[in-house]
Amino acid sequence: MAARSWTKAEVATAGLMEAVVERGNLMLAYQRVVENKGAAGVDELTVTELKEHLKRHWPTLRARLLAGQYWPAAVRRVDIPKPQGGERTLGIPTVVDRLIQQALHQVLQPIFEPTFSEASYGFRPGRNAHQALRRAQQYVASGKRWVVDIDLEKFFDRVNHDLLMSKLALKVGDARVLVLIRRYLQAGMMADGLVQPRTEGTPQGGPLSPLLSNILLTDLDRELERRGHTFCRYADDCNIYVGRERAGVRLMERLTRFLHERLKLTVNQAKSAVARPWRRSFLGYSMTAHPKPKLRIASSSLRKLTARVRTLLRGAQGSSVACLVDRLTPVLRGWAVYFKLAETKRGLDDRDGWIRHKLRCVLWRQWKRPYARARNLMQRGLNRERAWRSATNGRGPWWNAGAPHMHAAFPKSWFDSLGLVSLLDTVQRLQRVS
């Protein structure tokens, strides 16, 4: 169901909170929360239980929202590992708070969207990471072959509440909405049964955080535009493209000072750099050094995929290869769709071969004894002499998984017949149809 479009006059008369709790807006918010699924919050209420909960409690919740008396629950702390090391902290709101945040987002997005920069691509309707990558590629092709790669240190944990609220107040006149957003910012974070208060940050995990990050970082966009720079920003990931290294070094110094003084944010010096674009990664991609650079998959992205596949195949001895293929399919397909812009085969064919190697290794381990190994190799078409010689060679599972006898018995076509996603084949097919 489409949310009702409120006119400026209606918003000015009824107030933004009335637009937030309007039935059409709530129905759309509910639909999106259900589609996104997600874990339960501190109250352990699940997405599937939300509908019945709202039937009983929505009139009371609505009245509290309209009266400015609603207080969000604490968020549940979840720490997840980052690909480059360390941990990222997520704050998981309750499903009711996710619903209200989504409803707020749907009303606030049209108000702030016209104020955002054309160079901002993250968490905006009609914009995505692929557009940012294509634009970055154009900048490098035009001769701007140095990049100022800025990494903001723990951005979502360091957002200054007062500064953010002052920017919201410039466009939002409904005090109830402003008070509610501040309450969401200050909602405690629960870990191990204890609630810790928060005085800064907007933890990732709620529907409102991406919009709030764009509102705050618009000042950075405007400063870069004022200076005439070409750049691409996706959430807190910002790359500025310049023609000379010296210009990049100066810009890095000025932006570090600007971010600290104006936005109370810190540049992570260890992860930020002025470098050639092909020495850095942006949104999981890198580039070649050609005069007309080609997009390629960053080494860090390949390492992340490798670690993910290893995790999925851990303890696989009791599973059939068909079951393991089913387990891998959504990960590999999603990965291939995101990296369909890759213009080089580097890494794709290698990862395909490595995944098949891992699966052959699972088979070899499952067979355990020489008799079982010989029998299975003969069933796959190897003659008796070769099968027994291979089964009794005394080598380990990994060596045998990459040996000619396993390749002959279980070629790529066999894995294709099981539905194993080939990264190279999928990327090339997506490129042909796009």
Side-chain angles (χ1 to χ4, degrees):
M1 178 184 296
R4 178 185 171 191
S5 178
W6 287 70
T7 67
K8 291 183 179 179
E10 286 177 313
V11 169
T13 302
L16 278 180
M17 190 59 80
E18 278 72 14
V20 171
V21 300
E22 191 265 331
R23 179 177 174 80
N25 189 55
L26 259 295
M27 291 295 289
L28 180 58
Y30 172 83
Q31 180 182 351
R32 287 178 175 168
V33 168
V34 171
E35 288 173 351
N36 290 336
K37 300 178 182 178
V42 295
D43 62 356
E44 299 185 353
L45 185 72
T46 65
V47 170
T48 56
E49 298 168 328
L50 178 59
K51 185 174 183 179
E52 288 302 315
H53 180 85
L54 293 175
K55 285 180 180 178
R56 295 193 301 271
H57 300 288
W58 177 245
T60 302
L61 292 171
R62 184 178 185 276
R64 288 178 180 171
L65 287 166
L66 291 173
Q69 297 175 350
Y70 179 80
W71 286 85
V75 297
R76 182 167 63 86
R77 176 172 179 152
V78 177
D79 294 320
I80 60 173
K82 297 173 71 172
Q84 299 83 6
E87 290 185 330
R88 175 181 287 113
T89 298
L90 302 182
I92 309 299
T94 65
V95 288
V96 171
D97 282 326
R98 293 210 293 273
L99 173 73
I100 296 170
Q101 285 195 34
Q102 180 62 41
L104 279 167
H105 183 282
Q106 291 165 187
V107 170
L108 293 174
Q109 179 86 40
I111 295 173
F112 286 94
E113 179 64 26
T115 71
F116 293 155
S117 168
E118 284 296 311
S120 168
Y121 293 88
F123 310 115
R124 296 180 60 190
R127 289 171 169 265
N128 56 51
H130 286 176
Q131 293 170 340
L133 288 160
R134 286 298 192 201
R135 182 55 58 89
Q137 186 182 25
Q138 292 170 7
Y139 290 149
V140 177
S142 72
K144 299 194 173 183
R145 297 174 70 80
W146 289 91
V147 61
V148 181
D149 185 356
I150 293 179
D151 183 275
L152 295 175
E153 188 171 322
K154 295 184 177 179
F155 168 71
F156 283 94
D157 297 332
R158 299 284 174 82
V159 169
N160 183 283
H161 289 176
D162 291 337
L163 187 61
L164 176 57
M165 292 307 303
S166 69
K167 297 184 183 305
L168 283 163
L170 294 175
K171 292 283 185 181
V172 177
D174 192 323
R176 297 167 300 176
V177 170
L178 292 174
V179 168
L180 180 58
I181 292 174
R182 184 177 277 277
R183 287 173 181 169
Y184 273 120
L185 292 173
Q186 295 178 338
M189 183 173 288
M190 180 178 286
D192 299 323
L194 298 176
V195 177
Q196 300 173 333
R198 286 190 293 126
T199 57
E200 63 178 3
T202 169
Q204 295 167 274
L208 205 52
S209 291
L211 175 62
L212 297 180
S213 71
N214 275 333
I215 291 171
L216 183 66
L217 290 174
T218 293
D219 273 12
L220 171 61
D221 299 340
R222 296 308 177 204
E223 177 67 11
L224 290 169
E225 290 171 348
R226 186 182 69 79
R227 294 174 178 271
H229 290 295
T230 52
F231 65 100
C232 297
R233 183 176 66 78
Y234 192 96
D236 60 326
D237 198 349
C238 185
N239 276 10
I240 307 106
Y241 297 90
V242 295
R244 293 176 299 170
E245 182 180 17
R246 183 178 297 179
V249 171
R250 287 198 303 267
L251 180 59
M252 176 70 81
E253 293 172 353
R254 291 169 182 167
L255 288 180
T256 299
R257 189 164 54 249
F258 171 85
L259 287 162
H260 177 70
E261 294 175 356
R262 289 279 298 274
L263 299 181
K264 314 299 182 187
L265 297 171
T266 303
V267 172
N268 188 328
Q269 298 295 338
K271 295 183 179 180
S272 302
V274 178
R276 296 293 194 180
W278 45 92
R279 304 280 184 195
R280 306 293 292 179
S281 64
F282 181 50
L283 301 177
Y285 284 78
S286 188
M287 298 185 195
T288 66
H290 296 101
K292 291 185 177 180
K294 296 180 180 181
L295 291 174
R296 62 179 178 83
I297 302 168
S299 299
S300 57
S301 299
L302 292 168
R303 289 194 297 270
K304 184 178 178 181
L305 174 66
T306 300
R308 179 72 174 132
V309 171
R310 279 200 175 104
T311 299
L312 290 171
L313 295 183
R314 193 170 293 148
Q317 270 57 50
S319 304
S320 69
V321 172
C323 288
L324 296 177
V325 167
D326 289 342
R327 193 184 300 175
L328 290 171
T329 294
V331 172
L332 297 179
R333 183 169 290 136
W335 199 88
V337 169
Y338 181 75
F339 287 102
K340 67 180 181 180
L341 298 187
E343 296 169 288
T344 67
K345 294 181 180 180
R346 178 183 174 184
L348 290 171
D349 199 28
D350 174 66
R351 286 304 85 189
D352 277 341
W354 177 80
I355 291 168
R356 292 193 294 271
H357 194 140
K358 290 285 288 184
L359 292 173
R360 292 187 187 106
C361 189
V362 169
L363 284 171
W364 192 263
R365 288 181 183 277
Q366 287 178 342
W367 295 338
K368 295 182 180 178
R369 299 181 182 279
Y371 173 79
R373 289 168 177 167
R375 184 190 64 214
N376 280 286
L377 289 173
M378 285 188 285
Q379 287 177 350
R380 290 296 306 161
L382 271 65
N383 63 51
R384 183 181 180 84
E385 180 185 353
R386 186 182 182 189
W388 275 103
R389 188 171 64 249
S390 300
T392 57
N393 61 32
R395 301 274 191 165
W398 187 253
W399 186 90
N400 276 284
H405 54 269
M406 284 297 282
H407 276 261
F410 299 96
K412 178 180 180 297
S413 58
W414 184 79
F415 290 102
D416 289 343
S417 69
L418 290 180
L420 179 65
V421 173
S422 165
L423 299 173
L424 179 60
D425 292 349
T426 305
V427 167
Q428 291 181 333
R429 182 171 65 252
L430 290 170
Q431 289 175 344
R432 286 195 298 269
V433 300
S434 62

